[in-house]
Amino acid sequence: MSSTPSHAGRWLVLVAVMLAFLPVVLDMTILHVAVPTLTQALGASSTQVLWIIDIYPLLMAGLLVPMGTLADRVGNRRILLVGLTLFGIASALAAFAPNAPLLIGARMLLALGGSMIMPCVLGIIRRTFEDDAERAMALGLWGTVGAAGAAIGPLIGGALLEHFWWGSVFLINVPVMLIVAPACYLLLPRAEVTSPGKWAIGQALLLIAGMISLVYAIKAGFGGKHSLPVVLVVLLFGMAMLGLFARKQLNSSEPMLDLSLFSRPAIVAGMIMAVVATGALAGVELTLAQELQYVLDKSPLQAGIFMIPIMAAAAVGGPVAGYLSNLLGLRIVASASMFASSLALAYLALSDFHHPGVMVPLMLAVLGLMLSIGLTASSIAIMGAVEAERGGAAGSLEATGYELGTGIGITVFGVFMSAVFGHTVVVPAGLSPEQSAQAAESIGDTYLVAQQLSPEQAEALISAGKAAFTATHSVLLSTSAGLIGALAVLVLIMLAGYREKGGAHH
């Protein structure tokens, strides 16, 4: 017997899982505009701010594969419902966190819930839509929700901060979960094909420990907070854990992560695209949100509105990508979208945001559209290269690419931003050494230090910070433009052998 629902039922299932997926994506970006408010309210250091934003995608990146395989064993519906419940509880805890460490803890719990939701959504879509064209459409719609959710995150965040305290950006998830969880409970088919075998918790822990140590080392190394020996020890530990994990996967009769999937060029290309495109999107949004609020003195809501072109265009990218891939072939679409993104970034790097005119919003729109087309193309490449029963494994792989991209994007942008800012900023005379050091950490710290100074000194310090940040954002955007340009060429080469119809059959 087939567990595939009827035609109408299929699209209802899609609606239910997309609703489940929405808050998870919202939470990736809703904090971007809240950073300045949150920094000032909790008196958080720049390292704490990075952890508050980052612990969510990073933990999720480590948890997605284990949760994806767990869902294949236990059933997507069950894991999804548990994830939704956890996510709702964690949102309430985050909203009322009294200080930075407790907020980081609540974000960890959010990541656990989110990591249960994400792979299940992709697994359910892969199992529900057997037909290639229908699946491309369903993945396109899923991509739209993902892009639109990540896109309206800053807008919703801005609107909430206009009227409420910073905790409201988390509290909003609670009513959403109260609607979504019952909907999923009712709509999702109870009968599921699960894969037999036990779930290896040890392997999961190796993967999580490896991922987090690696990223922590990147953060600590560039942030210059820790001595080199400490960073190297953490880095080596992370690599050892991941190496051990890979060895276990290759020798196990029931591996958690099917490393043989990486023998397919389409999957590798899809993964690289997912990591780089989400990384660029997250990094650019974070940089922009800070530039608009700290340098141009916009409110969180105005910053959200300024970023609408990225958002709106990203929302259309999914279906457009599905359509274009069927028309022109995936290889052309994937490569061209990356190339166009890099041109848009290069233009934005040289733009003056004080006088945006028509071209800045236009280029923001091009960037959003192209990165979103690239992301959906990566999805089609990965999901088209596997058989249905390995959908959960491929889905968790792809979602790992997204989360890793976001986590690494925010880490690298944040750390790089801090470094460039520290070198560029010219702190005015008359500050104590401690104040000078803190003010050069990040533009958020510049504002925190300015609160302790006389009005004249504060004004001098803030204008120095603004000038330095504008220079910093140009360096960041032009660097990412170069990276994505290189990626366009790489994808063109890697997808050379990709056969459009039935890319899975060798």
Side-chain angles (χ1 to χ4, degrees), residues 336-349 363 366-367 481-482 484-485:
S337 64
M338 293 287 112
F339 187 65
S341 310
S342 82
L343 293 178
L345 270 173
Y347 184 89
L348 289 170
M363 283 301 146
V366 170
L367 181 66
I484 293 183

Side-chain angles (χ1 to χ4, degrees), residues 145-293:
V145 170
I152 56 175
L155 241 190
I156 293 178
L160 287 169
L161 290 173
E162 200 90 343
H163 300 288
F164 307 102
W165 95 116
W166 63 264
S168 60
V169 299
F170 295 111
L171 207 53
I172 189 169
N173 290 332
V174 178
V176 178
M177 285 304 161
L178 290 175
I179 298 165
V180 173
C184 287
Y185 181 79
L186 296 169
L187 286 171
L188 296 181
R190 288 170 192 238
E192 280 193 283
V193 185
T194 52
S195 49
K198 56 186 193 313
W199 184 63
I201 180 101
Q203 298 183 13
L205 292 173
L206 281 177
L207 181 63
I208 297 163
M211 298 277 279
I212 291 187
S213 312
L214 217 56
V215 176
Y216 183 77
I218 296 175
K219 266 194 160 54
F222 286 108
K225 288 282 181 300
H226 297 278
S227 61
L228 194 61
V230 175
V231 174
L232 283 174
V233 167
V234 177
L235 185 68
L236 289 171
F237 173 74
M239 289 166 83
M241 291 290 114
L242 290 177
L244 209 59
F245 174 76
R247 215 182 89 201
K248 274 203 158 34
Q249 300 316 297
L250 293 170
N251 298 335
S252 164
S253 53
E254 298 168 356
M256 173 170 285
L257 177 58
D258 190 348
L259 292 179
S260 69
L261 287 173
F262 283 112
S263 63
R264 306 177 185 188
I267 289 189
V268 179
M271 284 291 290
I272 296 174
M273 279 172 70
V275 170
V276 176
T278 43
L281 202 53
V284 169
E285 279 193 357
L286 193 61
T287 313
L288 270 180
Q290 296 193 31
E291 167 89 13
L292 294 167
Q293 290 177 74

Side-chain angles (χ1 to χ4, degrees), residues 64 68 118-119 122-123 382-383 386 390-401:
L64 278 164
M118 289 268 282
L122 276 169
I382 293 170
M383 288 313 206
V386 295
R390 295 167 85 180
S396 56
L397 250 189
E398 181 192 355
T400 303

Side-chain angles (χ1 to χ4, degrees), residues 349-425:
L350 306 170
S351 305
D352 176 8
F353 284 71
H354 290 272
H355 309 287
V358 181
M359 283 310 284
V360 168
L362 186 67
M363 283 301 146
L364 285 173
V366 170
L367 181 66
L369 179 67
M370 290 304 158
L371 284 177
S372 154
I373 287 179
L375 279 180
T376 309
S378 76
S379 219
I380 295 171
I382 293 170
M383 288 313 206
V386 295
E387 305 72 31
E389 60 279 5
R390 295 167 85 180
S396 56
L397 250 189
E398 181 192 355
T400 303
Y402 284 171
E403 301 305 322
L404 248 188
T406 305
I408 291 175
I410 291 171
T411 299
V412 173
F413 266 78
V415 160
F416 190 36
M417 192 190 293
S418 222
V420 178
F421 183 81
H423 285 298
T424 320
V425 70

Side-chain angles (χ1 to χ4, degrees), residues 93-109:
L93 290 174
F96 298 105
N99 54 30
L102 283 174
L103 179 55
I104 293 171
R107 291 279 284 169
M108 289 169 83
L109 194 56

Side-chain angles (χ1 to χ4, degrees), residues 127-142:
R127 285 183 178 165
T128 309
F129 295 93
E130 287 296 324
D131 176 65
D132 280 352
E134 267 193 5
R135 188 184 333 122
M137 197 62 222
L139 282 171
L141 287 167
W142 169 81

